[in-house]
Amino acid sequence: MKAVQIDKFGGPEVLQYVDLNKPMPKGNEVLIEVKAIGVNYADTARREGQYVVETTLPYVLGGEVAGIVVAVGEDVTSVSIGSKVVTIMESGGYAEFAMVDERSVIPIPDGVDYNHAVILPIQGLSAYHILKTMGRLEEGETVLVHAAAGGVGLLAVQLAKLFGAGKVIATASTDEKLALAQEMGADVTLNYTVDGWDKEVKKATEGKGVDVALEMAGGDIFNKTVRCLAPFGRLVIYGVASGEMSTMQPAELMRRNQSVIGFFLPQIMRKPQFLQSSLLELLQYVQTGQLKLTVGGVYPLAEAANVHTLLQARKTTGKIVLVPGI
């Protein structure tokens, strides 16, 4: 089978389109013929050797796929050959075939295609659990979503509304991206490349600040976002896209009972029942039309290096999908 693999860390040029042996399932394993592959910032961090946990080389990138079950291990009871499914995994998604445990496989409901279903395992679950599990969003609270035209951001804007947020403030780097966030339900949109965006956040909340903030840029944006928090506000970190580390004085949080919280999706993945229930809920939102999924581009698997370049240059919106065999 064809796959995209790295045997050293570096820029997009280290992504190799190679031939590997197709895996064969045993026990509780399920083999999926991959129809769509989700691309995420986590993939670029893996490629650069900057991921949260160590990456052992050689390594096949990719944490989410949608496709058809073509073989199952002898102990599999919950999944049938021929089923259309979506799943999340630690690695191995950038390939024509992927093997996962049956507990991580979710059926794709009628009316949802592969390219849209693959948006949900990483970015959908991230938005869901950042807001609900880690951010503990309560009805009527105000939410700040950075990079609101990105894969997680567009979902977070919508889910915040579905979860009862009173106001959603979205930031992005261009007018086009801000318009997209507004179309998804953002009440206030701000360009974070313009000085003073943090003051505009305070103005939009009548000086109070935001109750929940989603932050994945790092550097100065992190520091300014902390200052945007309301009393009892929660800032959830789920990435450092800028590569710039931040420093802060923990005692600064004490005066207003504020929290800075880390989020790492693989910890959710280690609770299969927890993972399944939230992914099923997301798929139901899609099926009923309550959650709109935005595919920003579909590219051949062989063009993974070009896709990584576009993603890191912030030239994409919504979800970028790789497809084998096109």
Side-chain angles (χ1 to χ4, degrees):
M1 69 175 185
K2 290 291 186 181
V4 173
Q5 180 177 271
I6 59 172
D7 56 22
K8 62 181 179 181
F9 299 120
E13 71 279 357
V14 303
L15 297 175
Q16 302 176 44
Y17 191 55
V18 299
D19 288 302
L20 297 176
N21 292 328
K22 183 171 72 173
M24 296 301 295
K26 58 185 179 181
N28 292 102
E29 295 171 333
V30 172
L31 183 67
I32 299 169
E33 181 181 354
V34 176
K35 299 297 184 182
I37 303 157
V39 179
N40 299 279
Y41 271 106
D43 302 338
T44 67
R46 284 280 196 188
R47 191 201 71 226
E48 294 172 344
Q50 301 296 323
Y51 194 57
V52 178
V53 296
E54 184 178 355
T55 299
T56 303
L57 301 176
Y59 184 86
V60 176
L61 298 173
E64 58 187 347
V65 302
I68 301 173
V69 175
V70 292
V72 298
E74 63 275 11
D75 297 327
V76 170
T77 59
S78 62
V79 183
S80 302
I81 292 174
S83 300
K84 296 180 179 181
V85 298
V86 62
T87 189
I88 188 169
M89 70 267 284
E90 291 279 357
S91 64
Y94 282 28
E96 291 181 315
F97 293 88
M99 194 159 67
V100 297
D101 188 282
E102 67 173 317
R103 293 173 298 175
S104 67
V105 172
I106 302 294
I108 298 174
D110 293 340
V112 182
D113 64 29
Y114 296 119
N115 289 350
H116 286 85
V118 83
I119 293 175
L120 296 175
I122 289 180
Q123 292 177 336
L125 286 173
S126 293
Y128 182 103
H129 288 289
I130 289 168
L131 288 165
K132 183 170 277 194
T133 306
M134 309 308 299
R136 305 185 307 280
L137 177 63
E138 296 182 7
E139 190 168 346
E141 290 190 319
T142 299
V143 178
L144 173 61
V145 180
H146 287 306
V152 173
L154 287 173
L155 294 170
V157 168
Q158 297 176 76
L159 287 172
K161 287 291 191 177
L162 286 171
F163 296 159
K167 180 179 289 184
V168 175
I169 301 171
T171 77
S173 59
T174 68
D175 290 343
E176 178 186 14
K177 291 181 177 182
L178 291 172
L180 183 56
Q182 186 174 37
E183 183 182 333
M184 292 299 125
D187 301 293
V188 178
T189 58
L190 300 170
N191 189 323
Y192 66 80
T193 68
V194 176
D195 288 342
W197 64 263
D198 49 330
K199 295 180 178 62
E200 293 298 318
V201 170
K202 281 297 192 72
K203 187 183 297 184
T205 59
E206 299 179 346
K208 176 191 172 187
V210 299
D211 301 295
V212 179
L214 283 67
E215 209 291 289
M216 49 75 71
D220 190 50
I221 290 179
F222 167 82
N223 293 325
K224 289 181 176 178
T225 304
V226 171
R227 294 195 289 271
C228 289
L229 290 177
F232 296 93
R234 289 86 69 197
L235 187 158
V236 184
I237 306 169
Y238 68 101
V240 190
S242 69
E244 299 175 11
M245 296 297 106
S246 307
T247 58
M248 66 171 294
Q249 296 297 324
E252 294 176 7
L253 303 173
M254 294 171 57
R255 184 168 57 88
R256 306 180 77 195
N257 286 21
Q258 296 164 333
S259 305
V260 174
I261 304 159
F263 172 80
F264 187 45
L265 184 60
Q267 294 294 343
I268 299 292
M269 291 167 58
R270 294 186 178 100
K271 298 179 179 292
Q273 189 171 0
F274 193 23
L275 175 120
Q276 286 188 357
S277 62
S278 49
L279 187 51
L280 283 169
E281 186 177 341
L282 288 169
L283 284 164
Q284 288 166 2
Y285 285 143
V286 174
Q287 193 176 29
T288 58
Q290 294 174 276
L291 186 62
K292 297 177 183 178
L293 303 180
T294 305
V295 176
V298 179
Y299 299 84
L301 177 59
E303 294 184 14
N306 177 49
V307 168
H308 276 218
T309 299
L310 293 172
L311 184 67
Q312 290 189 282
R314 299 183 183 180
K315 294 183 178 179
T316 64
T317 58
K319 184 70 171 184
I320 304 302
V321 177
L322 294 172
V323 176
I326 65 170

